[in-house]
């Protein structure tokens, strides 16, 4: 099983190279961003937004907008290592699935190795993000270090759900359908998030349809607060989805044979 994990990681060699450059870029850009938000142009833009009364924005709104932008930067290291469909595509091109059954490794272990690969890479991505978050927490009061940890854990949980769905759909659809597996995984993730926040989305849409056309973004701030302080909910959801994905994937792989 160790050899299978190494093989899967080698299939992601190109992504790992991108991951290295992303880490450097995120660290540099994030430091520049928080310094600008404290002393530079971004801070000036925030003051201008508060000065315009028609915006109806408070200091909390401006701070939250800055936090969201910083949060998106922090997601990049995790996102760059989450796409397991490349492993399925590489296996398909090499015809690996044709010989895998002859290995002295059971189907369950072959499938488990694939899940272990992606979560090991997520672990690396999370560790890197934690280090970057610690550095940023030393030079900014925009987000506390504990809030950084909540954001990182939430992002890793969401990407874990996406990856678990990707593995499942790749097995269900078979070789050559990796693009459709990606699309279905994204749709499943978006649908899940939308259903979980249906009330907030409904309020935002309703406020935009009113005469003044001004969106009520308080629901967005509640979602941000949820990401920061209730990441354990997403972690539990990720564990449940991963277990279900593994169980269904195993049953599908047993029936189809020659897909992993």
């Amino acid at each position: 099983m160790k050899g299978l994990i190494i093989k899967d990681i080698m299939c992601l060699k190109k992504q790992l190279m991108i991951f290295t450059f992303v880490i450097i870029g995120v660290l540099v850009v994030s430091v520049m961003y928080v310094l600008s938000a404290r002393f530079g142009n971004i801070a000036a833009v925030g003051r201008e937004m508060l000065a315009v009364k028609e915006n109806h924005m408070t200091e909390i709104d401006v701070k939250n907008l800055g936090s969201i932008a910083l949060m998106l930067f922090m997601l990049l290291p995790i996102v760059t290592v989450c796409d397991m469909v490349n492993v399925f595509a590489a296996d398909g091109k090499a015809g690996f699935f044709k010989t895998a059954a002859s290995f002295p490794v059971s189907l369950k272990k072959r499938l488990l190795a694939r899940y272990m690969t992606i979560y090991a890479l997520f672990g690396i991505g999370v560790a890197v993000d934690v280090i970057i978050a610690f550095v940023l927490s030393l030079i900014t009061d925009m987000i506390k270090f504990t809030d950084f940890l909540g954001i990182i854990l939430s992002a890793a949980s969401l990407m874990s759900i996406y990856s678990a769905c990707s593995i499942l759909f790749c097995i269900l659809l078979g070789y050559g359908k990796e693009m459709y597996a990606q699309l279905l995984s994204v749709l499943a993730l978006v649908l899940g998030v939308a259903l979980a926040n249906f009330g907030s989305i409904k309020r935002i849409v309703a406020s935009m349809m009113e005469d003044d056309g001004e969106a009520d973004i308080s629901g967005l701030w509640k979602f941000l607060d949820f990401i920061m302080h209730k990441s354990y909910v997403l972690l539990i959801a990720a564990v449940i989805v991963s277990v279900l994905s593994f169980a269904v994937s195993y049953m599908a792989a047993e029936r189809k044979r020659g897909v992993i």
Side-chain angles (χ1 to χ4, degrees):
M1 203 163 75
K2 179 181 177 182
L4 291 173
I5 294 175
I6 294 174
K7 186 270 299 177
D8 288 345
I9 291 176
M10 293 304 294
C11 289
L12 296 171
K13 183 168 61 174
K14 184 177 180 180
Q15 280 181 240
L16 293 176
M17 292 178 62
I18 296 173
F19 175 66
T20 303
F21 289 113
V22 166
I23 291 172
I24 298 172
V26 167
L27 179 59
V28 173
V29 173
S30 296
V31 170
M32 293 174 62
Y33 178 84
V34 297
L35 290 176
S36 180
R38 190 169 183 178
F39 307 109
N41 293 334
I42 296 177
V45 170
R47 289 192 293 270
E48 290 178 6
M49 293 173 68
L50 290 174
V52 178
K53 295 183 179 179
E54 288 78 6
N55 288 336
H56 302 290
M57 297 194 72
T58 65
E59 290 185 9
I60 295 177
D61 292 331
V62 173
K63 183 178 180 180
N64 284 339
L65 286 172
S67 299
I68 289 176
L70 186 59
M71 181 176 67
L72 294 176
F73 282 132
M74 299 295 295
L75 298 184
L76 289 177
I78 297 176
V79 171
T80 52
V81 296
C82 76
D83 204 352
M84 282 300 290
V85 297
N86 290 331
V87 177
F88 283 93
D91 280 357
K93 289 179 181 178
F96 178 77
F97 59 90
K98 297 178 181 178
T99 59
S102 63
F103 291 173
V105 181
S106 66
L107 174 61
K108 183 178 289 187
K109 287 185 177 180
R110 295 201 302 272
L111 183 60
L112 182 60
R114 191 138 299 182
Y115 280 84
M116 289 178 66
T117 299
I118 189 61
Y119 294 123
L121 292 175
F122 274 136
I124 296 172
V126 168
V128 170
D129 259 348
V130 169
I131 294 172
I132 295 175
F134 178 73
V135 173
L136 294 179
S137 66
L138 297 177
I139 57 177
T140 183
D141 57 355
M142 184 180 295
I143 306 180
K144 298 178 181 178
F145 180 64
T146 53
D147 292 341
F148 268 127
L149 294 181
I151 292 171
I152 293 168
L153 186 57
S154 294
S157 299
L158 288 173
M159 290 300 101
S160 295
I161 293 172
Y162 165 79
S163 295
C165 291
S166 295
I167 295 174
L168 173 60
F169 288 128
C170 280
I171 291 176
L172 291 176
L173 298 177
Y175 170 61
K177 304 291 195 311
E178 291 82 14
M179 185 179 296
Y180 297 108
Q182 283 181 311
L183 180 60
L184 289 172
S185 300
V186 171
L187 289 175
L189 184 60
V190 171
L191 181 61
V193 173
L195 289 175
N197 297 275
F198 181 75
S200 297
I201 295 174
K202 184 178 178 180
R203 282 194 296 272
I204 292 174
V205 173
S207 64
M208 292 177 67
M209 294 178 66
E210 292 178 356
D211 294 335
D212 57 5
E214 185 178 337
D216 178 14
I217 58 175
S218 60
L220 181 61
W221 303 152
K222 291 180 180 178
F223 178 71
L224 179 62
D225 185 69
F226 179 86
I227 290 291
M228 288 181 178
H229 304 125
K230 295 186 178 179
S231 54
Y232 61 88
V233 176
L234 291 175
L235 179 60
I236 293 172
V239 171
I240 294 173
V241 171
S242 297
V243 172
L244 290 176
S245 171
F246 180 83
V248 177
S249 297
Y250 178 65
M251 289 188 290
E254 266 196 325
R255 288 190 175 188
K256 298 184 72 172
R257 296 290 180 182
V259 294
I260 189 170

